[in-house]
């Protein structure tokens, strides 16, 4: 097992409600268009498929999808939406777990590669993607750009959400490239906040490109979002596509 933190039953049961906006058809439309075009007539493999927020609607688009998921509780939530015949899921980590066959697309969304807390494990994730890809296939990652430019000297925390029902901020260990996301979420109307923390290893786009080269993949394109908008020095995240040579 990798260093990824294992999602609990309680967290899995809350996940879909917390991500309702990101699960809407309007929000997911550009993501599904992007991934379906790359998958073409082939199969897609989602690393860390979770509750199927992306994988299930992509399957409904007609793309055969297979998933790998570390948390059995997250996979159980997915099973409430679709059965094993419709969307097979292998329990295991995304750096070493393999499934049968080849795929035209392997994808990893929503910053999830940062769940692997060492550089070695992130490199192995790229290698695992490469071993599943058919020649000419693509590996896609959605990842935020580390917001270190917002850190003045002596500060280690950056807020990313301040709203009535949620307070979120990241703290950074600049030596180990580890950030901890802190969440304070208000449930119900009693004013109480529920706290949750998660650890991540952040990585720069250029570092990911080197990982891809180690795995035998080539950068094909990098955009700022699923709509294909240009990636610039001010982009808060990127969608990167690496190709396995034919």
């Amino acid at each position: 097992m990798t260093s990824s933190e294992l999602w609990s039953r309680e967290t899995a049961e809350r996940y879909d409600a917390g991500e309702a906006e990101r699960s809407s058809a309007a929000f997911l439309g550009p993501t599904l268009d992007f991934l379906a075009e790359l998958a073409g007539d082939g199969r897609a493999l989602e690393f860390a498929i979770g509750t199927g927020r992306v994988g299930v609607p992509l399957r409904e688009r007609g793309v055969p999808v297979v998933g790998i998921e570390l948390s059995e509780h997250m996979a159980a939530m997915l099973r409430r939406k679709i059965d094993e015949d419709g969307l097979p899921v292998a329990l295991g980590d995304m750096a070493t777990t393999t499934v049968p066959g080849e795929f035209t697309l392997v994808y990893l969304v929503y910053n999830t590669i940062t769940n692997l807390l060492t550089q070695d494990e992130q490199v192995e994730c790229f290698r695992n993607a490469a071993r599943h890809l058919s020649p000419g296939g693509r590996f896609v990652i959605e990842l935020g750009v580390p917001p270190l430019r917002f850190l003045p000297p002596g500060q280690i925390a950056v807020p990313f959400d301040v709203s009535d029902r949620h307070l979120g901020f990241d703290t950074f260990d600049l030596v180990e490239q580890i950030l901890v996301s802190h969440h304070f979420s208000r449930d119900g109307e009693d004013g109480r906040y529920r706290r949750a923390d998660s650890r991540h290893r952040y990585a720069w786009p250029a570092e990911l490109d080197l990982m891809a080269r180690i795995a035998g993949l080539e950068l094909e394109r990098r955009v700022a979002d699923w709509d294909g908008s240009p990636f610039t020095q001010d982009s808060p995240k990127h969608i990167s596509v690496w190709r396995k040579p034919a």
Side-chain angles (χ1 to χ4, degrees):
M1 182 180 295
T2 65
S3 59
S4 296
E5 296 174 347
L6 194 61
W7 290 54
S8 67
R9 182 188 303 275
E10 180 183 15
T11 302
E13 290 178 346
R14 285 193 171 118
Y15 184 82
D16 282 344
E19 298 298 332
E21 181 179 352
R22 297 180 63 90
S23 302
S24 67
F27 184 94
L28 283 177
T31 305
L32 300 177
D33 290 343
F34 193 105
L35 296 175
E37 180 180 357
L38 289 180
D41 296 329
R43 300 193 304 157
L45 172 62
E46 181 172 356
F47 284 173
I49 195 170
T51 66
R53 180 182 68 90
V54 175
V56 171
L58 185 61
R59 179 67 184 87
E60 292 170 350
R61 286 278 189 103
V63 178
V65 177
V66 176
I68 292 175
E69 173 55 43
L70 182 62
S71 169
E72 63 178 314
H73 303 299
M74 295 289 278
M77 297 299 294
L78 182 150
R79 279 288 158 258
R80 298 181 184 181
K81 305 171 185 177
I82 189 170
D83 61 23
E84 178 73 14
D85 290 337
L87 201 165
V89 174
L91 288 177
D93 68 81
M94 57 188 161
T96 64
T97 302
T98 59
V99 296
E102 290 188 330
F103 299 82
T104 56
L105 173 67
V106 179
Y107 65 95
L108 184 54
V109 299
Y110 205 10
N111 303 321
T112 312
I113 193 171
T114 66
N115 290 359
L116 299 169
L117 299 179
T118 71
Q119 186 183 68
D120 285 345
E121 289 173 350
Q122 291 177 354
V123 169
E124 289 306 312
C125 181
F126 273 82
R127 285 178 166 153
N128 200 26
R131 70 171 59 102
H132 283 95
L133 285 172
S134 57
R138 276 89 167 197
F139 182 35
V140 177
I141 285 181
E142 175 188 22
L143 184 60
V145 177
L148 301 190
R149 64 195 302 181
F150 296 112
L151 284 175
Q155 182 173 313
I156 63 167
V158 173
F160 58 84
D161 185 33
V162 179
S163 60
D164 290 341
R165 307 201 70 84
H166 179 254
L167 302 174
F169 62 93
D170 293 329
T171 54
F172 293 84
D173 179 335
L174 302 183
V175 175
E176 299 296 331
Q177 284 188 215
I178 295 293
L179 69 84
V180 180
S181 287
H182 306 267
H183 301 266
F184 294 86
S185 304
R186 187 164 62 183
D187 296 327
E189 302 300 329
D190 61 3
R192 295 183 179 182
Y193 281 85
R194 170 176 48 84
R195 177 174 178 171
D197 303 316
S198 59
R199 298 173 67 229
H200 307 268
R201 182 188 185 272
Y202 63 85
W204 301 94
E207 185 180 6
L208 298 181
D209 290 343
L210 184 56
M211 294 181 189
R213 290 182 62 186
I214 291 171
L217 305 176
E218 302 170 347
L219 180 66
E220 184 172 75
R221 62 170 162 152
R222 174 168 290 126
V223 293
D225 211 337
W226 296 107
D227 60 7
S229 52
F231 179 73
T232 72
Q233 63 180 359
D234 296 318
S235 299
K237 74 171 187 178
H238 60 96
I239 313 297
S240 295
V241 181
W242 297 274
R243 184 175 181 271
K244 183 174 183 176

